[in-house]
C-alpha cells in the first residue's frame, strides 16, 4: 500500500526477471474503485528501474477524481 488515493488503498507488485539474459524490472500498481480496477504498469531494464520507478510513483500524486 504505497499510497492512498481518494481514501482507496493501492497495491504495488514489483517483479525482477531475465529476458534473454537481459535483467528486467516490472512494477504494477493496482487501484480498486467501486466496480473497476485501474492497473498502471512500468516495464524497463533493471539498470534504469530506480530512476523510472521514482518518477512512476511520483506521478500518482497528480491523479484526480478517482
Amino acid at each position: 500500500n504505497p499510497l492512498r488515493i481518494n481514501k482507496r488503498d493501492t497495491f504495488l507488485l514489483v517483479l525482477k526477471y531475465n529476458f534473454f539474459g537481459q535483467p528486467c524490472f516490472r512494477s504494477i500498481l493496482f487501484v480498486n474503485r467501486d466496480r473497476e480496477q485501474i492497473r498502471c504498469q512500468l516495464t524497463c531494464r533493471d539498470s534504469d528501474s530506480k530512476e523510472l520507478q521514482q518518477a512512476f510513483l511520483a506521478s500518482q500524486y497528480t491523479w484526480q477524481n478517482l
Side-chain angles (χ1 to χ4, degrees):
N1 188 12
L3 177 68
R4 288 182 58 94
I5 299 174
N6 197 23
K7 299 181 182 177
R8 299 178 194 280
D9 289 328
T10 60
F11 178 75
L12 182 65
L13 177 65
V14 176
L15 305 166
K16 291 187 177 190
Y17 59 95
N18 284 310
F19 183 71
F20 289 104
Q22 175 79 3
C24 295
F25 175 91
R26 180 171 288 174
S27 175
I28 307 168
L29 179 74
F30 298 89
V31 180
N32 289 322
R33 296 184 42 158
D34 293 330
R35 295 182 203 162
E36 305 170 313
Q37 182 180 73
I38 299 171
R39 289 175 291 199
C40 300
Q41 179 174 286
L42 168 68
T43 304
C44 62
R45 293 181 299 193
D46 192 38
S47 60
D48 299 328
S49 65
K50 184 176 181 182
E51 181 179 309
L52 292 174
Q53 177 74 351
Q54 192 173 34
F56 174 66
L57 294 175
S59 73
Q60 298 163 22
Y61 293 106
T62 64
W63 295 1
Q64 298 178 10
N65 300 323
L66 293 179

